[in-house]
Amino acid sequence: MKTLNKILSVALAGAVMVGCNDLDTEPQGYYVTPEQKEDVTKADPSMVIAGITGVASTVNQYGSIEDAHIDYGWASVMLMLDNRGTDMIGFDIGYNWYSENNALSDCSINSRISQYTWRNMYNQIFAANAVLSTMDPESDDPTIQFFRAQGLAFRAFDYLQLAQLFQFTYVGHESMPCVPIITNENAAEYAANGGSRATVQEVYDQIMSDINTAIELLSNCGVKPESVIDSKAKRLVSLATAYGIRARVNLVMNKWADAASDAQNAISNFSGAPYSLTEASKPILASMDETAVMWGIAVNEDDRVVTTGICNWPSFIGSFNSNGYCSAGSWRKIAINLYDWIPDTDVRKGWFLNTDSESANLSESWNEYCVEKSMPPYTQVKIAPYKNQLGTTLNANDIPLMRVEEMYLINAEATAMAGNASAGAQILTDFVSSFRNPAYVCVDNTPEAVQNAVWMQRRVELWGEGQSFYDIMRLKKGIDRRGGGWEPQWVYNIPAESNVMRLMIPNSEIEGNKALSAGDNNTSQGQPSPVADE
């Protein structure tokens, strides 16, 4: 046990501190010898949990990239992505740290979104590789199999985010350059010589290999997250979550039948359920322990992102916490045209303030709080404060990475696109009418129409959860902000697959990776020109 702890602590220390832009320097203590690996497999395998929870926590760190209030891990990237799209409105004021994303002036080699996305994901990849290197891939020990599945699933998730942001969507771009592939098998070579951009196809092949193996291991081992960790078990990947990750991958790859099957398997293997009509008729997402959450980033009250006070996800998106950037005036609002699209019979209309700055989902005292704080119309009131305490100063919400509602929406879209539009429409009707709007009926009867109906539901259901920009990319929708209530200088109508959509590889990576040069990067794009707000 002591041997295992020493190996893991050294391996993780090296992996977490070294980003992909340091490929010319071998991480100290990263490489695990066969003898060390044998020590690990002979030790108590349950001790590996320290390493796996360390992998999960790499994307919940304050100041890991720079000393800035906006640097608080993957949740910050989620907000950057939502602020790049059409549906989350930000103000052009000093307190808006995400104005670079609102302005779409972030398609450059030095932008924060490029650096934060690259470093957060590759830091977690390095940490996952370090832990995977300590375990025998041939082990038949159920606990070892479970922990191997964790490392592989996290790595698949990481590469999926990178692939969708540093190149256009999979279909039609399979041969285009994407991102370097670094695994526990080739890490030493990459550390010595750097690595070139793999193709989109090669990256997705790696993603599918990792998540396929993770699902196989989780199916065979029978171990569940709650049996190996006492607190916030949903920070680890369950079999349902692994199916959910693969459902996302297949959706991007347009493997419709596989996406539908995986989404249904995710639902079937999940012990929770969507938020009910009653539950959705009030603020949600205060904790990953809520029934609908499948997977999330665990946040504890003593985490540095919390003790900073205002350098965390609730500070920048939460309307009901009194200590943060939102309460200082940088509110997050839904686009007016999307709000107007939501039927009055849909409980999600109350996730946002109406034109009188009130919500039917809030009690009288909570609506009075909105007035006292001068929240403008359309401000989000979807996200609950920590422990549902109105006006709390403690910003310790867990970060949602996956909810089961998404799986119903994937199932509906993929079923329709696989050739059965009526079945897809029925899945969508059953979900929305049961959990959000009793009056809803999807009347669309073509695959593409059902797909668009699902997209509209996704825009509302997953608002603020870091999913919207991925849909813009995979559906080739472009960014049309007309009629949304944007600041005039940020009203854009950008066609699909404009260069501004893709992120650029950070300059630090180009300079530090021996196998890359400036000519290998995506094309830079200046800030777009605004259009008339029709």
Side-chain angles (χ1 to χ4, degrees):
M1 293 171 64
K2 290 181 179 178
T3 302
L4 179 56
N5 277 333
K6 181 177 179 181
I7 294 170
L8 284 174
S9 63
V10 172
L12 281 172
V16 173
M17 292 180 67
V18 177
C20 190
N21 57 314
D22 298 313
L23 287 175
D24 57 336
T25 304
E26 183 173 353
Q28 294 298 309
Y30 175 79
Y31 191 73
V32 180
T33 67
E35 292 77 15
Q36 289 173 323
K37 186 180 295 185
E38 184 177 359
D39 286 342
V40 171
T41 57
K42 288 180 180 179
D44 180 359
S46 67
M47 293 299 294
V48 186
I49 188 62
I52 291 298
T53 55
V55 174
S57 69
T58 58
V59 291
N60 184 40
Q61 304 292 327
Y62 170 69
S64 65
I65 300 169
E66 64 171 336
D67 185 15
H69 285 198
I70 200 173
D71 181 13
Y72 53 88
W74 185 246
S76 185
V77 177
M78 290 165 57
L79 269 175
M80 289 177 179
L81 294 173
D82 278 339
N83 277 277
R84 290 195 104 227
T86 60
D87 298 335
M88 179 179 283
I89 309 295
F91 293 91
D92 191 5
I93 59 176
Y95 283 128
N96 182 8
W97 280 80
Y98 295 93
S99 58
E100 181 185 51
N101 312 116
N102 293 142
L104 289 176
S105 59
D106 55 2
C107 184
S108 71
I109 58 176
N110 293 313
S111 71
R112 280 191 166 119
I113 189 171
S114 289
Q115 295 178 67
Y116 287 18
T117 303
W118 193 270
R119 291 295 297 273
N120 273 287
M121 292 296 90
Y122 273 111
N123 280 348
Q124 189 165 74
I125 287 168
F126 268 79
N129 286 343
V131 174
L132 286 168
S133 292
T134 67
M135 290 178 283
D136 182 2
E138 303 301 322
S139 175
D140 58 3
D141 184 290
T143 310
I144 290 293
Q145 291 181 339
F146 173 82
F147 290 130
R148 283 197 65 237
Q150 299 303 303
L152 293 167
F154 274 107
R155 193 167 71 186
F157 170 81
D158 297 335
Y159 278 119
L160 180 60
Q161 313 321 303
L162 291 166
Q164 292 180 92
L165 297 175
F166 287 92
Q167 191 49 271
F168 298 129
T169 194
Y170 174 85
V171 176
H173 306 98
E174 294 90 342
S175 62
M176 294 184 71
C178 194
V179 297
I181 298 173
I182 309 172
T183 69
N184 48 302
E185 286 86 7
N186 70 353
E189 172 64 22
Y190 268 80
N193 301 311
S196 59
R197 299 175 70 179
T199 65
V200 169
Q201 182 67 63
E202 289 168 337
V203 174
Y204 276 86
D205 286 347
Q206 181 65 50
I207 294 168
M208 288 301 291
S209 174
D210 283 348
I211 197 61
N212 286 343
T213 304
I215 289 174
E216 180 182 359
L217 290 169
L218 290 169
S219 298
N220 293 339
C221 73
V223 178
K224 298 181 178 180
E226 57 267 29
S227 69
V228 298
I229 190 169
D230 295 329
S231 173
K232 298 186 178 182
K234 292 179 185 177
R235 78 183 82 175
L236 301 184
V237 177
S238 67
L239 178 59
T241 299
Y243 275 122
I245 294 171
R246 196 169 70 181
R248 288 178 176 178
V249 181
N250 280 318
L251 194 71
V252 176
M253 297 178 76
N254 290 187
K255 294 185 175 181
W256 305 117
D258 291 339
S261 176
D262 281 337
Q264 185 55 56
N265 279 327
I267 294 168
S268 300
N269 284 278
F270 182 53
S271 58
Y275 292 110
S276 66
L277 276 166
T278 300
E279 291 169 332
S281 298
K282 58 186 179 182
I284 58 174
L285 294 174
S287 167
M288 69 167 63
D289 292 332
E290 294 172 21
T291 181
V293 179
M294 298 176 65
W295 190 33
I297 299 172
V299 179
N300 299 309
E301 292 183 4
D302 58 355
D303 286 348
R304 184 65 184 122
V305 293
V306 178
T307 61
T308 62
I310 59 174
C311 306
N312 44 61
W313 189 64
S315 168
F316 285 98
I317 196 172
S319 300
F320 296 120
N321 46 298
S322 61
N323 185 28
Y325 280 96
C326 280
S327 60
S330 186
W331 308 103
R332 296 293 152 187
K333 304 192 303 179
I334 187 174
I336 296 172
N337 48 8
L338 181 58
Y339 176 84
D340 290 343
W341 177 87
I342 306 172
D344 291 339
T345 52
D346 193 318
V347 298
R348 294 171 298 185
K349 192 92 170 183
W351 285 359
F352 311 93
L353 296 183
N354 61 22
T355 54
D356 295 322
S357 292
E358 296 178 341
S359 166
N361 287 9
L362 302 180
S363 67
E364 182 178 354
S365 62
W366 284 52
N367 271 314
E368 289 176 352
Y369 181 89
C370 296
V371 174
E372 291 170 3
K373 293 294 183 179
S374 300
M375 294 184 199
Y378 311 110
T379 296
Q380 78 82 18
V381 290
K382 169 187 177 180
I383 310 297
Y386 183 57
K387 293 186 176 179
N388 287 293
Q389 294 180 357
L390 182 63
T392 182
T393 59
L394 190 57
N395 300 334
N397 294 47
D398 297 324
I399 312 302
L401 292 177
M402 184 182 292
R403 285 196 286 126
V404 70
E405 288 89 345
E406 181 190 353
M407 297 301 113
Y408 286 87
L409 295 172
I410 290 176
N411 195 11
E413 177 184 348
T415 297
M417 294 301 289
N420 196 338
S422 60
Q426 190 61 54
I427 293 170
L428 186 61
T429 296
D430 291 345
F431 166 70
V432 178
S433 63
S434 296
F435 299 105
R436 298 296 181 263
N437 178 11
Y440 179 81
V441 177
C442 180
V443 297
D444 299 297
N445 57 13
T446 67
E448 292 75 17
V450 174
Q451 183 183 54
N452 195 64
V454 171
W455 177 53
M456 294 301 295
Q457 293 293 330
R458 288 176 65 95
R459 291 171 68 181
V460 176
E461 182 67 34
L462 302 175
W463 188 97
E465 298 178 48
Q467 296 287 333
S468 63
F469 194 77
Y470 294 123
D471 284 341
I472 288 172
M473 292 290 280
R474 74 178 179 86
L475 296 172
K476 303 179 183 180
K477 290 291 185 179
I479 297 176
D480 186 355
R481 292 178 174 174
R482 294 172 297 176
W486 283 84
E487 301 270 19
Q489 66 272 27
W490 294 341
V491 176
Y492 302 129
N493 184 19
I494 300 169
E497 302 197 341
S498 166
N499 281 326
V500 75
M501 300 286 200
R502 295 181 300 182
L503 302 185
M504 295 191 71
I505 297 174
N507 188 55
S508 55
E509 175 69 16
I510 297 296
E511 292 180 345
N513 186 335
K514 297 178 181 179
L516 292 180
S517 67
D520 296 317
N521 213 335
N522 295 331
T523 303
S524 64
Q525 176 71 51
Q527 183 175 344
S529 299
V531 298
D533 195 1
E534 301 173 1

